[in-house]
Amino acid sequence: MKSYQKLTTTQPAACRVEEEGAAPLPTGRGKLARWWVGSGLLVVAVLLSTTTVWVLRQVSGSWLGPTPPPKCLLVPESRRFDCYPEQQVVVTQELCENRGCCFIQTPPPAEGKRGVPWCFYPPDFPSYTLESLNQTALGMAGLLVRREKAYYPRDIERLRLDVEFETDTRLHIKITDAANPRYEVPLDVPRVMKRAENPIYSLNFSRDPFGVLLQRKATGTVLLNTTVAPLIFADQFLQISTSLPSKFLYGLGEHRGSFLHSLDWNTLTLWARDVSPTESFNLYGAHPFYLLMEEGGDAHGVFLLNSNAMEVALQPAPGLTWRTIGGVLDFYIFLGPDPNMVIQQYQQVIGFPAMPPLWALGFHLCRWGYRSSNETWQTVRAMRNYQIPQDAQWNDIDYMDGYRDFTLDSQKFASLPSLVQDLHKHGQHYVMILDPGISSTSPHGSYWPFDEGLRRGLFLNTTQGQPLIGQVWPGFTAFADFSNPDTHQWWLENLQHFYAHVPFDGLWIDMNEPSNFMDGSEDGCPPGDFDSPPYNPAVLGDSLSAKTVCASAKQKASVHYNLHNLYGLMEAKATASALVQIRAKRPFVISRSTFPSQGRYSGHWLGDNRSQWKDMYYSIPGLLSFSLFGIPLVGADICGFSGSTSEELCTRWMQLGAFYPFARNHNTQNEKAQDPTAFSPAARTAMKDVLLTRYSLLPFLYTLFHHAHLQGDTVARPLFFEFPWDVATWELDRQFLWGRSLLVTPVLEPGVDSVTGYVPQGMWYDFYTGSSVNSSGEMLKMSAPLEHLNLHIREGSVLPTQKPGTTTEVTRGNPLRLIVALSSHATAWGDLFWDDGESLDTFEQGNYSYVVFNVTQNIFTSTVLHASTEATKVTIGTLSIFGVQKPPSKVLLNGQEKPFSYLDNQVLTVSDLGISLSQGFSLQWL
């Protein structure tokens, strides 16, 4: 939609609020609410003839019950906002009309879908009125008043509206109880000191009914229009709806599905839950943020800073409803205008991701079911024997004594300290699993973690003030309360004790939704509004306590009802802090449960997937979604966690997984091994080759992570981020980019030797050969035998690569090879961030090198913008230039002639450069 126009019987007052914030105008209330904007609904008259009603009933497909009022028939199906979203209720006309809503039955939807709501809001359903609006230093403050009660208990009659024009591209709108404080997410957000001077948005309010109308100034596109349905704000039911300017919406995690969400009556629930990734289920993390592409290629994002159980209902109007059962409505809107900028602006609020250690970007190997440390060691030795790259070896819960945290099985894993020492000697690293459930059944005095946690009062408590006892791997367990700062100290002390025996390098925090094999606790959950709220969102298991702890559990910061979705974030924060204190190096943490801002403390893996082809495909939307969420260090279990993989599936998955930002092969117990050494020589070689390709690209990948850390760039990137004007890219989720330059097109189907992928407009070069493809923006069929992954470099790029070794430590000492992919104008640009790969805050302290590469007029220039001693330890060995139109007569390095080679596919190569990375240079071809 390009503009809004109120097409109803009575025009409501709108207070036009841009940077000046004009005062609202007085108004009376019309017979019909003023809800439809743009190209939707034209109300010609309130009173319709019987004939017209008959026609409308034909269109609605309903012949059941008495004729609905004309005002109900006027609402098109796609714009019916659900008035009775309860899942476990068969909605009747009586139930619906008791809420003051319209009831029209429609044909039942396909199995598994919601379909058009039978009970929906009429245009005149009571909402809030904007009673006053006053200027503030940063924006404005208003009072909202509801004069007629809504249908949920403890309706809040008077609300405070706060609007802050934080930046020219960021708007902050907050609605909360005007009289009483409410729970708010304890997340550090930026506090601005002055009002934005030239916002690229204009803000309008409808006074009665209250509504927000937000437009992009440049295009007039309406980004938000919350007058489409009533605002409801009760103590445990908060709901606000909006129209959307297009159907191209992404984000709202964590869910399994395509990257682009369906708006066909699709409800997404956000409530952290331990369950194998399955379509339509609420999964491990909660991310109430969406990105939306607008007509013409602009983009915006919306973040609801709320950690309570939540639903987001999407409908084909297009429209969206936020529905949460606690907290406040605290919205940030990011105006971009391009999708990359939207994600950067989002991370300016939640925080930029941590810079990972270089070894975190190597290949990781794990399984549940290593029966001993010696068996684990045998796998490491086999990988070395075949010279297959590996940076980290992991252990699942097998290493523990009785599955208890901070213990070691002294029988089967007695040699684990020696294994870790051996890994370190070979430049490799060790990562172990930890769960937040602490065994509560050991004899008093025999298990310090529980005894000390109990003594200090560091566990989640029941409403009676006793530790809540659930059940996880060790049996009965208590759950650490990471909202308590004292718990962080206890966590650190436990890790220090274990580190003295097993000097681990990173930590894998699992089961931190938190997961519980019981529903609630050993005693169930008490009656009350926390465990049985007035509205129960569509959570898996139909209860907030399903396979987790009671929502009524007491924590230091608040009740678990409010903090549940933050549990993984708080544990990640404690774990990263402990690693820094123990190792004095960059922490490496991988967490299953996540919440906004978690990229500051951990990466994420996509959970307990299956060894199936569709799971391999779904991993791509998963990693692209977490790129939006500010958690770039993300990947799926390569070859699948549960079930038995095949050689073909695992080979293809290793090829895809080599381009996950976080690359780990992980397997469940009682299944055959699926590490690269377990397969035939041909498959093993294909896996080794693609890992060597990954390791050759580590300088490029590491630089991408630097930009993510510095300014919130994405690492794994959807194609439409680079080609937002190309609508054909908006639905693509079977390919992705690394940064702006490298296109990855994996095979995701069995039994094929080719793959069809979209190649955006422009010149692209085969990564391996340098041969060019000039695309008009089209689907192209590419050869893809089992040993081959298609990689293409975008024109105008310079990729820093390196001769690969079997570890990142070996690789980083090898000569660099710079790959130049010339544009059609014979230009290119790239950069390289280089430091020691592990020290804390190297950029912030200036202990790094940053080099920019530029090509213009047949001259390649390397310019050192910042230097450190680390750059003197590596040399640039080779320069390969793709797309040199004609054979050069000579090549000059800093004015001196150098030998070169030139191939028929227009690839110029200059070898044996031997130039220190710390030295700038130029190379010219004539």
Side-chain angles (χ1 to χ4, degrees):
M1 290 177 284
K2 291 300 183 187
S3 63
Y4 74 85
Q5 180 183 359
K6 305 207 170 194
L7 301 171
T8 53
T9 54
T10 305
Q11 294 282 358
C15 27
R16 181 155 185 80
V17 185
E18 295 181 13
E19 54 272 27
E20 73 282 356
L25 302 172
T27 184
R29 190 171 184 83
K31 291 182 180 178
L32 292 180
R34 296 59 89 181
W35 284 8
W36 306 117
V37 174
S39 59
L41 178 64
L42 176 62
V43 180
V44 178
V46 176
L47 300 176
L48 300 175
S49 68
T50 304
T51 305
T52 308
V53 171
W54 184 87
V55 172
L56 285 168
R57 296 215 71 198
Q58 289 270 46
V59 173
S60 74
S62 171
W63 285 97
L64 302 176
T67 302
K71 67 181 181 181
C72 298
L73 291 166
L74 286 170
V75 183
E77 286 188 355
S78 69
R79 299 183 179 222
R80 293 177 183 174
F81 286 83
D82 199 345
C83 178
Y84 218 111
E86 281 82 351
Q87 288 296 289
Q88 303 305 311
V89 179
V90 176
V91 183
T92 64
Q93 183 165 350
E94 181 182 10
L95 286 172
C96 179
E97 292 179 351
N98 283 343
R99 290 188 171 182
C101 291
C102 296
F103 184 81
I104 299 178
Q105 284 182 267
T106 55
E111 187 176 354
K113 289 191 174 286
R114 287 212 171 191
V116 181
W118 291 1
C119 183
F120 57 94
Y121 295 106
D124 58 354
F125 191 93
S127 186
Y128 286 86
T129 300
L130 179 59
E131 288 285 305
S132 64
L133 192 66
N134 299 304
Q135 294 291 315
T136 65
L138 299 177
M140 59 202 69
L143 177 66
L144 310 181
V145 176
R146 173 181 276 280
R147 292 187 170 81
E148 296 182 48
K149 285 279 190 182
Y151 46 84
Y152 283 106
R154 298 184 300 282
D155 207 14
I156 298 172
E157 295 180 14
R158 296 166 68 85
L159 301 176
R160 177 182 172 91
L161 168 70
D162 286 292
V163 177
E164 294 185 354
F165 300 94
E166 293 197 338
T167 74
D168 290 345
T169 57
R170 185 173 85 225
L171 176 66
H172 188 188
I173 300 175
K174 184 175 177 180
I175 303 172
T176 188
D177 189 334
N180 300 297
R182 292 179 60 80
Y183 164 77
E184 297 188 28
V185 182
L187 187 70
D188 293 330
V189 292
R191 299 294 178 196
V192 298
M193 303 307 293
K194 66 174 187 174
R195 181 179 178 144
E197 295 180 358
N198 297 295
I200 65 171
Y201 48 85
S202 61
L203 181 64
N204 299 264
F205 293 111
S206 168
R207 168 178 267 180
D208 185 11
F210 166 72
V212 175
L213 297 115
L214 179 68
Q215 284 180 280
R216 184 181 298 282
K217 282 184 179 178
T219 61
T221 302
V222 175
L223 309 183
L224 297 178
N225 168 25
T226 70
T227 65
V228 294
L231 167 65
I232 297 179
F233 200 121
D235 184 37
Q236 289 182 274
F237 186 89
L238 291 71
Q239 179 175 279
I240 190 167
S241 303
T242 182
S243 63
L244 300 171
S246 88
K247 65 178 183 178
F248 294 96
L249 182 142
Y250 316 81
L252 298 174
E254 181 177 7
H255 298 92
R256 163 183 281 212
S258 58
F259 184 43
L260 174 67
H261 285 301
S262 167
L263 269 57
D264 186 17
W265 306 107
N266 180 20
T267 295
L268 303 167
T269 305
L270 281 63
W271 182 248
R273 168 66 194 251
D274 172 8
V275 62
S276 295
T278 305
E279 297 87 325
S280 80
F281 288 179
N282 49 295
L283 301 182
Y284 310 107
H287 292 272
F289 167 82
Y290 70 78
L291 172 78
L292 188 137
M293 292 298 293
E294 306 159 28
E295 182 181 338
D298 287 339
H300 71 274
V302 177
F303 171 42
L304 172 55
L305 180 51
N306 181 294
S307 62
N308 290 89
M310 184 186 306
E311 295 170 347
V312 186
L314 308 175
Q315 63 192 76
L320 176 150
T321 297
W322 298 95
R323 196 178 290 136
T324 183
I325 61 170
V328 301
L329 297 175
D330 192 1
F331 289 102
Y332 288 86
I333 302 99
F334 311 99
L335 275 290
D338 79 52
N340 291 288
M341 296 170 73
V342 171
I343 302 307
Q344 290 174 345
Q345 292 156 11
Y346 176 41
Q347 291 173 89
Q348 287 168 6
V349 170
I350 63 171
F352 296 125
M355 184 68 185
L358 179 62
W359 67 265
L361 307 185
F363 179 60
H364 301 248
L365 192 55
C366 185
R367 78 163 300 165
W368 181 20
Y370 288 126
R371 290 163 294 188
S372 67
S373 49
N374 286 340
E375 185 178 320
T376 311
W377 208 338
Q378 287 169 9
T379 303
V380 173
R381 290 187 180 119
M383 292 284 286
R384 289 179 193 154
N385 182 53
Y386 289 114
Q387 296 184 298
I388 300 172
Q390 182 188 2
D391 258 80
Q393 180 62 50
W394 296 38
N395 275 126
D396 208 313
I397 57 176
D398 311 283
Y399 77 89
M400 300 177 182
D401 181 8
Y403 299 144
R404 296 178 302 164
D405 277 356
F406 312 114
T407 67
L408 185 65
D409 186 326
S410 60
Q411 302 289 312
K412 297 174 183 174
F413 281 80
S415 64
L416 184 58
S418 299
L419 165 57
V420 173
Q421 185 179 25
D422 178 66
L423 288 168
H424 292 165
K425 188 175 75 173
H426 286 84
Q428 295 172 302
H429 300 81
Y430 181 70
V431 179
M432 65 185 197
I433 196 171
L434 282 177
D435 295 335
I438 302 298
S439 175
S440 61
T441 57
S442 299
H444 180 71
S446 66
Y447 184 49
W448 192 86
F450 179 74
D451 292 342
E452 190 64 15
L454 187 64
R455 186 183 75 79
R456 300 187 199 179
L458 304 179
F459 298 122
L460 271 66
N461 284 336
T462 65
T463 54
Q464 303 303 309
Q466 298 300 312
L468 183 147
I469 302 299
Q471 186 175 9
V472 200
W473 297 114
F476 290 113
T477 56
F479 297 87
D481 177 9
F482 291 102
S483 78
N484 186 343
D486 295 340
T487 305
H488 292 216
Q489 177 63 29
W490 164 86
W491 193 245
L492 167 65
E493 291 169 21
N494 278 292
L495 286 166
Q496 286 173 326
H497 295 157
F498 195 80
Y499 186 85
H501 299 287
V502 180
F504 50 84
D505 301 289
L507 292 168
W508 168 24
I509 50 176
D510 191 12
M511 309 292 286
N512 56 350
E513 292 73 30
S515 176
N516 184 2
F517 297 164
M518 299 174 161
D519 289 349
S521 77
E522 61 177 345
D523 300 316
C525 296
D529 284 341
F530 288 133
D531 293 300
S532 302
Y535 180 79
N536 202 56
V539 296
L540 178 63
D542 301 322
S543 166
L544 296 183
S545 62
K547 295 298 178 280
T548 189
V549 299
C550 298
S552 58
K554 294 180 177 179
Q555 296 189 235
K556 178 77 171 181
S558 186
V559 68
H560 191 73
Y561 181 90
N562 293 327
L563 300 179
H564 174 83
N565 282 339
L566 300 175
Y567 194 91
L569 168 64
M570 290 177 167
E571 186 191 15
K573 191 173 183 178
T575 305
S577 173
L579 277 169
V580 169
Q581 293 179 72
I582 291 169
R583 299 181 70 247
K585 296 177 181 178
R586 275 177 233 164
F588 173 73
V589 181
I590 294 293
S591 175
R592 192 167 72 180
S593 190
T594 59
F595 190 80
S597 81
Q598 192 143 343
R600 297 169 59 188
Y601 312 107
S602 84
H604 173 63
W605 98 103
L606 296 172
D608 295 340
N609 60 4
R610 303 166 187 85
S611 297
Q612 297 177 5
W613 289 91
K614 73 170 185 176
D615 287 66
M616 178 166 59
Y617 153 67
Y618 278 129
S619 71
I620 300 177
L623 70 95
L624 294 179
S625 292
F626 275 86
S627 291
L628 305 188
F629 302 149
I631 306 178
L633 190 64
V634 60
D637 284 346
I638 297 170
C639 300
F641 173 70
S642 65
S644 186
T645 194
S646 68
E647 182 162 289
E648 181 189 11
L649 173 60
C650 199
T651 302
R652 292 300 195 191
W653 209 329
M654 283 289 292
Q655 290 168 346
L656 169 58
F659 286 84
Y660 293 157
F662 165 59
R664 181 186 71 160
N665 181 316
H666 180 44
N667 192 8
T668 191
Q669 62 179 352
N670 303 320
E671 293 289 351
K672 62 185 181 183
Q674 62 184 37
D675 63 85
T677 70
F679 295 99
S680 70
R684 187 172 65 235
T685 300
M687 295 177 186
K688 174 182 175 179
D689 286 349
V690 77
L691 287 176
L692 288 170
T693 299
R694 176 189 179 89
Y695 274 60
S696 75
L697 283 159
L698 284 173
F700 175 56
L701 180 61
Y702 193 63
T703 301
L704 293 178
F705 269 96
H706 167 68
H707 290 301
H709 170 63
L710 193 62
Q711 61 191 33
D713 284 357
T714 53
V715 176
R717 189 170 300 176
L719 271 71
F720 73 79
F721 271 47
E722 291 299 317
F723 304 93
W725 59 87
D726 184 353
V727 179
T729 64
W730 292 10
E731 295 188 47
L732 298 178
D733 61 6
R734 300 173 72 88
Q735 300 166 271
F736 57 95
L737 294 159
W738 266 13
R740 63 175 299 276
S741 306
L742 189 66
L743 176 63
V744 183
T745 307
V747 172
L748 302 173
E749 299 171 341
V752 299
D753 59 6
S754 65
V755 61
T756 300
Y758 188 78
V759 180
Q761 184 176 11
M763 189 77 74
W764 296 81
Y765 297 90
D766 184 286
F767 171 79
Y768 309 98
T769 67
S771 296
S772 62
V773 176
N774 195 1
S775 174
S776 60
E778 56 198 309
M779 300 294 294
L780 295 178
K781 185 176 181 180
M782 311 171 196
S783 175
L786 189 58
E787 69 278 3
H788 185 70
L789 171 70
N790 278 278
L791 299 172
H792 289 88
I793 306 175
R794 183 181 181 183
E795 65 170 308
S797 306
V798 179
L799 264 58
T801 71
Q802 201 160 20
K803 180 183 177 182
T806 54
T807 64
T808 53
E809 184 177 280
V810 171
T811 301
R812 64 177 280 111
N814 289 339
L816 291 163
R817 176 193 176 207
L818 306 179
I819 302 176
V820 178
L822 293 178
S823 72
S824 55
H825 303 294
T827 59
W829 185 92
D831 61 345
L832 173 63
F833 177 81
W834 193 268
D835 61 11
D836 69 6
E838 63 178 10
S839 293
L840 293 163
D841 302 325
T842 56
F843 177 78
E844 291 77 4
Q845 296 177 7
N847 299 323
Y848 69 95
S849 295
Y850 183 66
V851 185
V852 169
F853 310 113
N854 197 60
V855 179
T856 185
Q857 297 180 333
N858 292 2
I859 300 174
F860 175 95
T861 306
S862 173
T863 305
V864 180
L865 296 184
H866 194 278
S868 70
T869 55
E870 288 295 325
T872 64
K873 301 174 184 176
V874 65
T875 61
I876 298 172
T878 305
L879 190 61
S880 295
I881 305 169
F882 298 170
V884 177
Q885 296 293 314
K886 57 184 181 180
S889 58
K890 59 181 174 181
V891 170
L892 304 176
L893 174 64
N894 292 333
Q896 303 295 313
E897 278 202 47
K898 285 287 291 184
F900 64 91
S901 67
Y902 181 82
L903 302 178
D904 290 342
N905 64 346
Q906 301 184 337
V907 175
L908 169 65
T909 302
V910 186
S911 304
D912 301 320
L913 294 175
I915 301 171
S916 170
L917 180 61
S918 62
Q919 295 179 296
F921 71 93
S922 66
L923 186 141
Q924 182 178 17
W925 59 99
L926 303 170

